[in-house]
Amino acid sequence: SIAPDMQVMTASGMSSATLARRLAADSEVLSVHVDQRRRTHAAVSDPLYAGGSGFSPASGQWYLRSASSTLVSAINAETAWSLTTGSAGVIVAVLDTGVRWNHPDLDGKLVGGYDFISESVIANDGDGRDSNPADPGDWISSTENSSDATLKGCGVSDSSWHGTQMAGLIGASTNNASGMAGLGRHVRVLPVRVLGKCGGYDSDIIAGMRWAAGLPVAGVPANPNPARVINLSLAGAGTCSAAYIDAIGQIRAAGTLVVAASGNETSPVEEPANCPGVLAVAGVRHTGTKVGYSSYGAEV
């Protein structure tokens, strides 16, 4: 007995579901539920997930935890992980600056990839398009910023390693007592390099998007590992152009989801996140309010 009007019943020779159906047929019974087994949430051992003193940030990966009055915008990943930790059969393409192949939290998580940057100065790897999506760095020196024909006025900066960050957030090795946790724990990441020094051109990005989805691109070998999801943590001002509309339409028809950042300019949603059929993502603080720099609008 659980309560005066709630009882636990067992039977032999039949399944719980069969017993439940028979009891539900009795007019004296209000409702019947199978007594299911529950388990603890799937917390992980990665030290950067928990955070704490000596870690940066000390709050750890708060955004993956259960939502609360303090962490309003946390996404409750632990409960999701108790249902599924993803599949290696699902490939997420990260169109970005490329990846650091030797990063320990990406060991065994990367598949194939391609470098779609056409201009060698932007690529910073000595050539144009090639089959190696490794990130050689996208720093800009003071000399380049002041006098280089291509990079002048782009701003002095260290390398961002942005593509490696995005790949880790999506698919870092998880529950391995090292580094951080990836949301898609067992998914594989397809690195597609489209950004280098001072960003990247739409022509390279669109070619990379098409290739990532398994569509043909002239002069480039076919992608043997088409992505189910394309992640674009990049943006630029402007309304959605016909070039992006056409490419995204074909990519969606191929069964691939396009996810794009709304932008970091506190402005209307930027391209390509403002294109039809794209899942646009803005940034929020732990309190649930929009983070100051994030662009926003109805497309999000």
Side-chain angles (χ1 to χ4, degrees):
S1 176
I2 302 172
D5 57 353
M6 187 178 298
Q7 306 293 321
V8 176
M9 297 191 67
T10 61
S12 59
M14 69 180 72
S15 67
S16 297
T18 299
L19 175 60
R21 284 195 300 270
R22 292 186 180 183
L23 289 171
D26 190 327
S27 61
E28 296 294 315
V29 176
L30 180 62
S31 65
V32 181
H33 307 277
V34 174
D35 197 8
Q36 300 184 71
R37 188 191 301 271
R38 308 292 177 176
R39 292 179 172 85
T40 57
H41 287 173
V44 293
S45 61
D46 308 77
L48 293 178
Y49 178 77
S53 178
F55 291 98
S56 179
S59 57
Q61 293 180 265
W62 62 265
Y63 47 87
L64 295 180
R65 299 188 194 127
S66 299
S68 65
S69 59
T70 303
L71 303 177
V72 175
S73 56
I75 66 172
N76 201 12
E78 289 186 9
T79 299
W81 289 333
S82 69
L83 300 174
T84 178
T85 52
S87 167
V90 174
I91 294 175
V92 179
V94 176
L95 274 69
D96 214 291
T97 64
V99 291
R100 297 291 298 269
W101 285 97
N102 60 348
H103 195 294
D105 243 3
L106 295 177
D107 186 29
K109 301 306 299 289
L110 302 175
V111 55
Y114 208 85
D115 179 357
F116 275 89
I117 301 177
S118 299
E119 192 167 340
S120 60
V121 173
I122 295 173
N124 199 31
D125 61 358
D127 59 20
R129 292 183 177 178
D130 59 53
S131 60
N132 183 5
D135 186 350
D138 56 0
W139 77 88
I140 296 176
S141 69
S142 58
T143 301
E144 289 171 327
N145 183 57
S146 63
S147 60
D148 186 270
T150 302
L151 305 175
K152 184 177 180 179
C154 288
V156 177
S157 64
D158 293 330
S159 291
S160 67
W161 313 119
H162 191 266
T164 300
Q165 294 181 48
M166 296 305 104
L169 287 166
I170 291 167
S173 296
T174 301
N175 206 27
N176 62 346
S178 175
M180 62 181 285
L183 177 59
R185 192 182 307 188
H186 289 134
V187 303
R188 291 185 294 165
V189 173
L190 177 73
V192 182
R193 190 165 183 248
V194 297
L195 304 177
K197 286 175 173 279
C198 206
Y201 289 109
D202 288 330
S203 54
D204 291 338
I205 294 168
I206 291 171
M209 291 170 64
R210 289 177 51 83
W211 184 85
L215 301 176
V217 176
V220 178
N223 175 15
N225 302 293
R228 291 281 301 278
V229 181
I230 292 174
N231 183 81
L232 300 164
S233 293
L234 52 85
T239 57
C240 184
S241 67
Y244 273 108
I245 290 173
D246 179 68
I248 292 165
Q250 293 185 52
I251 289 167
R252 291 187 67 197
T256 299
L257 171 67
V258 179
V259 182
S262 63
N264 290 346
E265 303 300 328
T266 318
S267 65
V269 175
E270 296 189 312
E271 190 181 33
N274 58 15
C275 294
V278 174
L279 179 61
V281 180
V284 291
R285 299 182 180 89
H286 66 285
T287 56
T289 57
K290 185 185 78 69
V291 68
Y293 57 77
S294 181
S295 300
Y296 63 99
E299 297 93 339
V300 173

